[in-house]
Amino acid sequence: MSVSSQASPDRKKSRSSITILVLGDEGVGKSSLISTFVARHFLEVVPRVMTRVRLPPEPETQVVTTICDSTADDATAALSTVPSNDSLSYLLSPPKQNEKRPPSGTDTNIVNSGMEPKVDCIILVYDLDRIETFYRLENHWLPMIEKYYDGEVPVIVAGNKMDLVLSTQTGIAEEQSLVRSRQQLISLLQRFRFVRQCIKCSAKNLLRVQQVFIKAQQAVLYPFSSLFDLNTGQLTHECRKALTRIFRMYDRDNDGLLSNAELDAFQYQTFAVPLVEQDLAGWKKVISRHADEQVVKDGKFTVPGFLAIFDVFISQNRLDVPWKVLRKFGYSNSLELAIPQEITANRFPSLSSSSRKFLAALFHQFDSDGDGMLSSDDIKEIFSIVPGQPLPPWHPLRARELLKGCFSLPKNTHEAQQEDNSSKNSPSPMDFSLSASGITIASAGTFPTVGELQSTAVSITLPSMTFLEWMGHWHMLTAISPSVATAELFRLGHIHINNPKSKRSRTRRRERELSVYVVGSQGCGKTSLLQLLLQNDPHDTLPTVSAETSTTHYKHKLKSADKDEKGEEMVVHFIFTEVPRDLLTKENFEPLISSLHQKVLVVFCFDTEQSLLDAVEVEEQMLNDDIARVFLVTKNGKAEDEISQSLYKVAQEHCNGLDLELPFFTNTFDDKNASKQQRELILKHLAQCGLQEASIDEPALKKAKPHAEQKRREAAKRRKMIWLGGLVAVAVVGVGVLWTSVVVNKERKGRWGGWLSNLIFGRSKSNPSTGITAQTKYE
């Protein structure tokens, strides 16, 4: 499926209306500006305050625009009140019949306490022929707007009556005025960061009137603050994350670069316009002027080079281009990625074949030194495009939020280490001019460099991971919450939706996932057992108060038909979930073990008669005969002969009664070498019991389900009887068909014989009354 079809934004949350408020001193031409824009011609006489104007929706955006006029006194009074009291409600509300405007200075909250339509943008007008109205912008209007809206609402500054300026100034005076005006506007933009643009216009000459309102609409539709940070002079951190994710989605060969073909695919799927060779050469020439970063490598675009392209558009106030790209791939105005509903609804507890291939390619792409291990920096680089800190989803800082409401959480095995990571890049100048696929870029003075993606000031050192550990953690995450796992893959750039009915590819190295639920009464030693299996210190344990999930893997050989040929190696990813006794209820436990799409094994740990009785009680209440189970005796350092013979005898009788494997002895406090060997034996035993696949040295299947062998024999017997019944039925049908064929052939033979007899000896007649046939004689 194409990228564009999967990454459509959430239309339910798209904007449907824009409210523009026009402010300014008396006599600057606010009403004339609105009238000229609506009527497309200048009227000498206009009302003091224009009625509210509602424009029809634009064909492309389908957004309705409402323009609200105001008087200076009313606006000043409204903006001078407490912002949270909706003091602009009177200015924005439609006038009622016979309603009079209150006198200047009246608190509009008292006059009208109705709900205020939200102001999305402000057009602030001043008179180019009266310099005092410009000074009022800096000293009165903009500080008041900043205080009221906290700098959240964009402002377009419109200098009206440019026709008067052009008619009164000529020659050197005009040039000096333009220089002074440009310096004043630059100072204004630097001081008030929410001012998006300053436009000089003329309502009388219809000069740039339409541009004023279009820029006001665009300031709302294409927010600037989400894309660019004026304080640092760079793209915002969230914008770089979003664009880097899009970069990875089109990096089809996973070389960390975008070739001409890959960039052309991005261009065509986003804008439906192919990228010609001339455009590519022009872009490479432009962004190669960056001195601090490598933006082009081997003729291909790097991540900083790809980001620099959008930096060009933003510096030229072409915000519609990056926003069209971002919204194409599902990003909101706050650059939050919308996860498709089919992903959040995923309940299949296993990675799809395409997900495995994607994760494998991701591992090898970001293995920076090629040693088959992902370092801490490699892992953080992979997750540098996800929201928040660049941490994997199983890390406690992210897992607590992502997996909120799940039955279990990943076991905390990470140790955080603080380090300073607050380096910043300084901007560098660049001049450019080129034409690219219908998008014209005018010359500009400077635009900032694009730094590498960085985490917040606090960084965490993560343990290195091998490929099997990397895949094991993803299997663990999928077992805990399939929807969270697929959503995280989507954030990393993978867009395939898992289909349980799709055929899964078979690689030479076979992999299996086994969900193992470890249960037992408190203090029976199950936590120490898991520490041993995870190759941690068995002494380092704390009481388990919530369900914790961890992962490890085990390799073993499968039985080969050819004795001379080596058996195929299979990797088993164990997903261990330790379930505290308090949480072991049927409501919690039954949904975990009843999945039809995963292998499940329940491990009962016991070390006393009481813990054994408790395990048997749980087994009887929670499990049916289709669930595999294993009983483990956790000795916790005691000698084997110290284990109560009566305890083991009771456990043995219980297992024999259900035709299960005998209880398996474990000792979590053996020496290091013995513990390693014991770990291999335990994992092998669990794999054989849970997967029901025989190894080369034990061809017989392990008995992990009650009376499984007896059921198999009965099933085989039933199949044999069905085959025999089928064979008998086929034989009967065959005899019937054969008999019918013989009778039909005999009748046909009789008819041919009668015909020959009549021909030779004459016709015979039949007496109808007596049925006697007589031969007619001719004398």
Side-chain angles (χ1 to χ4, degrees):
M1 188 173 291
S2 64
V3 173
S4 57
S5 62
Q6 279 295 327
S8 58
D10 188 1
R11 298 298 180 186
K12 294 182 180 180
K13 297 183 180 180
S14 60
R15 178 178 291 275
S16 60
S17 64
I18 295 176
T19 301
I20 299 174
L21 178 62
V22 183
L23 299 177
D25 290 334
E26 294 293 335
V28 296
K30 301 187 297 297
S31 301
S32 295
L33 205 63
I34 298 174
S35 173
T36 301
F37 174 68
V38 174
R40 294 296 191 269
H41 67 273
F42 178 72
L43 299 176
E44 293 291 344
V45 180
V46 295
R48 181 169 177 262
V49 179
M50 292 286 295
T51 58
R52 188 170 60 174
V53 177
R54 176 168 292 181
L55 303 178
E58 294 290 336
E60 183 178 355
T61 61
Q62 293 298 313
V63 174
V64 176
T65 302
T66 303
I67 303 174
C68 301
D69 196 4
S70 66
T71 63
D73 293 338
D74 287 337
T76 300
L79 291 172
S80 299
T81 57
V82 181
S84 60
N85 289 336
D86 297 336
S87 54
L88 288 179
S89 58
Y90 183 84
L91 297 176
L92 300 179
S93 300
K96 298 179 182 179
Q97 189 175 7
N98 300 327
E99 182 181 29
K100 294 183 179 181
R101 188 174 296 277
S104 300
T106 304
D107 189 350
T108 53
N109 290 311
I110 301 175
V111 178
N112 191 337
S113 60
M115 183 63 68
E116 171 196 348
K118 183 188 176 193
V119 174
D120 299 304
C121 184
I122 294 175
I123 295 178
L124 188 56
V125 186
Y126 72 99
D127 189 345
L128 286 170
D129 198 37
R130 291 190 293 158
I131 190 64
E132 65 272 13
T133 61
F134 178 81
Y135 293 147
R136 287 262 297 170
L137 299 184
E138 289 186 293
N139 302 326
H140 174 71
W141 288 108
L142 289 174
M144 189 165 53
I145 292 172
E146 183 178 30
K147 182 179 179 180
Y148 188 89
Y149 287 108
D150 197 23
E152 297 295 329
V153 174
V155 173
I156 303 296
V157 174
N160 194 18
K161 303 185 181 181
M162 193 174 180
D163 54 295
L164 298 179
V165 176
L166 295 176
S167 63
T168 58
Q169 293 182 352
T170 58
I172 298 176
E174 180 182 359
E175 184 178 349
Q176 292 176 348
S177 176
L178 289 175
V179 172
R180 183 172 60 253
S181 176
R182 185 180 296 109
Q183 292 174 346
Q184 291 172 341
L185 291 176
I186 291 175
S187 175
L188 192 75
L189 291 170
Q190 291 176 342
R191 181 181 173 187
F192 301 100
R193 298 298 178 88
F194 53 90
V195 176
R196 295 291 173 258
Q197 199 163 354
C198 298
I199 303 174
K200 296 179 180 180
C201 60
S202 172
K204 184 174 184 179
N205 293 347
L206 278 70
L207 180 64
R208 300 194 189 100
V209 174
Q210 187 174 4
Q211 184 180 354
V212 171
F213 290 93
I214 290 177
K215 291 300 180 182
Q217 291 175 320
Q218 291 180 349
V220 179
L221 295 175
Y222 311 120
F224 178 80
S225 58
S226 299
L227 302 180
F228 201 83
D229 188 350
L230 290 172
N231 294 321
T232 62
Q234 294 182 348
L235 296 176
T236 63
H237 195 55
E238 296 304 319
C239 180
R240 284 180 282 154
K241 285 184 176 183
L243 294 175
T244 303
R245 174 181 175 269
I246 297 171
F247 177 95
R248 293 185 186 178
M249 294 173 68
Y250 284 91
D251 182 16
R252 305 294 168 79
D253 54 3
N254 300 308
D255 62 349
L257 303 170
L258 276 189
S259 64
N260 292 352
E262 291 168 340
L263 191 62
D264 180 66
F266 159 75
Q267 164 87 4
Y268 188 78
Q269 293 190 18
T270 306
F271 300 102
V273 177
L275 195 61
V276 298
E277 188 66 29
Q278 184 180 359
D279 293 336
L280 288 169
W283 277 116
K284 292 176 183 178
K285 182 178 179 180
V286 168
I287 65 176
S288 293
R289 297 178 185 178
H290 280 275
D292 298 336
E293 298 175 289
Q294 187 178 19
V295 293
V296 177
K297 180 181 179 181
D298 300 331
K300 301 179 181 180
F301 289 88
T302 63
V303 173
F306 184 70
L307 300 185
I309 294 175
F310 294 94
D311 207 340
V312 171
F313 287 111
I314 293 173
S315 66
Q316 289 300 300
N317 205 25
R318 290 297 311 275
L319 303 182
D320 56 317
V321 176
W323 273 118
K324 184 171 184 179
V325 172
L326 292 168
R327 287 169 180 160
K328 182 76 173 179
F329 292 91
Y331 287 93
S332 65
N333 286 351
S334 58
L335 294 183
E336 294 180 0
L337 179 62
I339 308 297
Q341 185 178 1
E342 53 265 29
I343 286 183
T344 58
N346 178 42
R347 295 293 181 269
F348 191 71
S350 180
L351 292 172
S352 65
S353 58
S354 64
S355 298
R356 297 170 194 244
K357 292 178 181 177
F358 173 79
L359 290 171
L362 209 60
F363 179 92
H364 296 299
Q365 178 183 349
F366 287 92
D367 181 10
S368 56
D369 51 7
D371 62 348
M373 296 277 291
L374 288 179
S375 64
S376 176
D377 292 338
D378 294 338
I379 297 173
K380 287 189 287 186
E381 183 65 22
I382 291 176
F383 293 98
S384 61
I385 61 176
V386 301
Q389 293 196 30
L391 299 173
W394 50 82
H395 190 279
L397 293 181
R398 291 195 64 207
R400 295 190 191 101
E401 183 64 27
L402 289 177
L403 300 173
K404 183 184 296 184
C406 295
F407 177 74
S408 66
L409 294 176
K411 190 177 182 66
N412 187 358
T413 58
H414 300 280
E415 295 183 2
Q417 177 181 350
Q418 308 296 328
E419 61 181 21
D420 185 28
N421 189 21
S422 57
S423 60
K424 296 181 181 179
N425 296 325
S426 59
S428 64
M430 173 180 161
D431 297 325
F432 52 89
S433 178
L434 66 103
S435 176
S437 297
I439 300 174
T440 303
I441 305 175
S443 64
T446 63
F447 69 92
T449 61
V450 182
E452 296 289 346
L453 290 178
Q454 298 179 8
S455 63
T456 56
V458 178
S459 182
I460 297 174
T461 300
L462 304 171
S464 300
M465 302 180 73
T466 64
F467 176 73
L468 291 179
E469 290 172 342
W470 166 256
M471 294 301 299
H473 278 77
W474 281 102
H475 289 305
M476 176 187 69
L477 183 67
T478 306
I480 295 175
S481 176
S483 60
V484 170
T486 51
E488 187 71 6
L489 288 171
F490 184 78
R491 295 186 191 99
L492 292 177
H494 181 56
I495 58 173
H496 175 75
I497 305 300
N498 185 24
N499 183 9
K501 297 181 180 180
S502 62
K503 296 181 179 179
R504 300 183 178 274
S505 61
R506 296 291 181 179
T507 58
R508 183 167 182 80
R509 169 172 285 184
R510 301 173 65 184
E511 291 187 1
R512 298 288 187 274
E513 301 85 50
L514 178 61
S515 296
V516 182
Y517 295 93
V518 183
V519 299
S521 58
Q522 185 175 359
C524 68
K526 57 182 182 295
T527 305
S528 297
L529 173 66
L530 285 176
Q531 287 288 85
L532 170 68
L533 299 179
L534 298 175
Q535 296 180 303
N536 297 327
D537 184 8
H539 297 82
D540 186 14
T541 60
L542 293 173
T544 306
V545 296
S546 61
E548 294 182 342
T549 302
S550 52
T551 180
T552 189
H553 63 273
Y554 167 71
K555 302 177 186 178
H556 74 105
K557 303 290 184 180
L558 294 178
K559 186 177 179 181
S560 176
D562 190 354
K563 294 182 179 180
D564 297 332
E565 183 181 347
K566 292 184 178 180
E568 187 177 8
E569 187 178 53
M570 183 173 70
V571 178
V572 181
H573 292 283
F574 290 93
I575 296 97
F576 290 107
T577 301
E578 183 180 1
V579 185
R581 186 62 181 90
D582 296 340
L583 299 179
L584 204 57
T585 62
K586 194 166 186 178
E587 181 182 2
N588 290 335
F589 201 53
E590 188 171 332
L592 301 175
I593 61 177
S594 59
S595 175
L596 300 177
H597 303 289
Q598 63 177 343
K599 295 284 188 178
V600 174
L601 177 67
V602 179
V603 176
F604 293 99
C605 297
F606 65 96
D607 62 344
T608 63
E609 292 186 8
Q610 183 60 40
S611 60
L612 174 60
L613 293 176
D614 184 68
V616 172
E617 180 182 357
V618 171
E619 180 190 23
E620 292 176 351
Q621 293 179 356
M622 307 289 180
L623 306 188
N624 55 46
D625 289 351
D626 295 327
I627 304 299
R629 77 286 308 269
V630 171
F631 285 83
L632 297 183
V633 183
T634 50
K635 293 186 291 183
N636 297 330
K638 301 176 184 179
E640 185 173 342
D641 54 5
E642 295 180 9
I643 297 294
S644 172
Q645 296 296 325
S646 60
L647 171 64
Y648 185 77
K649 185 177 181 181
V650 172
Q652 184 180 14
E653 290 177 354
H654 175 74
C655 292
N656 287 334
L658 296 177
D659 194 22
L660 298 174
E661 293 293 325
L662 297 180
F664 196 90
F665 278 100
T666 65
N667 190 345
T668 56
F669 292 94
D670 281 338
D671 57 75
K672 186 175 182 179
N673 293 331
S675 295
K676 183 178 180 180
Q677 183 179 6
Q678 184 181 195
R679 174 182 178 273
E680 298 290 327
L681 292 175
I682 296 174
L683 292 178
K684 180 179 179 180
H685 181 70
L686 297 181
Q688 290 175 332
C689 292
L691 299 176
Q692 294 294 294
E693 295 188 19
S695 67
I696 203 166
D697 54 341
E698 293 185 31
L701 293 177
K702 295 287 187 178
K703 296 179 292 184
K705 297 180 181 180
H707 311 293
E709 187 63 31
Q710 179 181 351
K711 292 178 181 179
R712 278 195 292 268
R713 289 196 295 267
E714 292 176 353
K717 185 177 180 180
R718 285 195 298 269
R719 287 195 298 269
K720 187 182 295 184
M721 294 299 295
I722 291 173
W723 275 104
L724 290 175
L727 291 175
V728 171
V730 170
V732 171
V733 171
V735 171
V737 171
L738 184 61
W739 175 259
T740 304
S741 176
V742 171
V743 173
V744 170
N745 289 336
K746 187 175 181 180
E747 291 180 354
R748 289 179 178 176
K749 186 176 180 181
R751 287 198 296 271
W752 282 102
W755 180 80
L756 290 174
S757 177
N758 292 335
L759 182 63
I760 298 173
F761 300 104
R763 297 177 60 187
S764 58
K765 291 184 179 181
S766 166
N767 189 338
S769 61
T770 61
I772 300 173
T773 302
Q775 186 176 4
T776 304
K777 296 181 180 180
Y778 297 92
E779 296 179 354

